[in-house]
Amino acid sequence: MDDKFQEILDGMPEKPPRSSLEPYRELINELRRRGRTYREIAHILAEKCQLRAAASTVNRFLRKRKVARAKPPARLTPKAKTVSVTTRAATERIASSNVQEESLPHDDVQQRIAALKLKPAPARSSPDLFRYDPNEPLHLPPKDRKPNSGE
C-alpha cells in the first residue's frame, strides 16, 4: 500500500460498534454455546443487563458476526493459487491425452480417419414429419400415418 494511504488510515480513529449488543458479544456467544435459545438470551439481557432486544435481533446479530468471521478477507486469498491449481489440472489432462495419442502409431490414426471418411452419413429424418411453408398455416400430420415408421 502507498505510504500516503497508510498515513491516512493511521490518522483515522477506530469506528465505534453500531450494535448495542456488541459489548455483550462474548456473553451472548457463551450463552449460545450452553444451549440457550435466542428468546432466553434476549430475556437474560433484559433482566441482567437492562438491554431490551428481541430474539430476532440477537439472532441477526450472531448471524452477521458468524458470517463475517467465516469469510476470509478478499485480500488474503491469493488468486494465483486458484489459477495455478486450475492450470496444473489442465496441464495434467493435456499430458495424459498426449500420452494416449503418442501410444497410437501414426499409420493407425491415418487408417481410422480414412475409415471414418468412407462411412456413410447418418440418414436424415423423413421430410414428411414437418414441413414449413410461410404461405400456409401449420397442420398436424394425419392420425393414420406413423411419424417415425423407419421407411
Side-chain angles (χ1 to χ4, degrees):
M1 188 181 303
D2 192 10
D3 291 335
K4 184 177 179 181
F5 296 146
Q6 191 62 42
E7 287 177 28
I8 294 170
L9 291 174
D10 291 342
M12 296 178 71
E14 286 289 322
K15 198 171 181 183
R18 291 177 59 187
S19 174
S20 60
L21 294 175
E22 191 64 43
Y24 305 100
R25 175 193 270 190
E26 289 180 34
L27 173 66
I28 295 169
N29 284 331
E30 185 59 33
L31 288 169
R32 282 299 291 167
R33 270 188 232 112
R34 293 184 181 192
R36 298 295 182 155
T37 65
Y38 297 114
R39 184 175 290 157
E40 290 172 334
I41 293 171
H43 183 71
I44 291 168
L45 288 171
E47 198 174 89
K48 305 288 185 188
C49 303
Q50 290 72 43
L51 177 69
R52 293 187 59 190
S56 61
T57 306
V58 175
N59 176 308
R60 201 174 315 111
F61 173 79
L62 287 176
R63 226 180 32 223
K64 289 265 188 192
R65 298 316 182 274
K66 186 176 183 179
V67 170
R69 202 177 26 198
K71 282 186 181 178
R75 59 191 150 104
L76 295 180
T77 17
K79 291 185 179 181
K81 274 190 175 180
T82 308
V83 172
S84 66
V85 170
T86 306
T87 307
R88 189 180 324 139
T91 307
E92 288 173 3
R93 269 190 258 120
I94 291 169
S96 67
S97 67
N98 287 343
V99 169
Q100 292 171 355
E101 288 176 7
E102 290 171 4
S103 64
L104 294 175
H106 183 68
D107 293 335
D108 189 34
V109 173
Q110 294 296 329
Q111 288 174 355
R112 287 183 178 187
I113 291 171
L116 284 173
K117 286 182 178 179
L118 292 175
K119 219 177 195 183
R124 294 185 178 177
S125 62
S126 64
D128 299 316
L129 293 178
F130 180 77
R131 185 174 56 88
Y132 176 70
D133 185 355
N135 298 323
E136 293 181 23
L138 294 176
H139 297 286
L140 293 174
K143 289 186 179 182
D144 57 320
R145 285 197 325 187
K146 293 181 181 175
N148 219 354
S149 60
E151 295 174 23

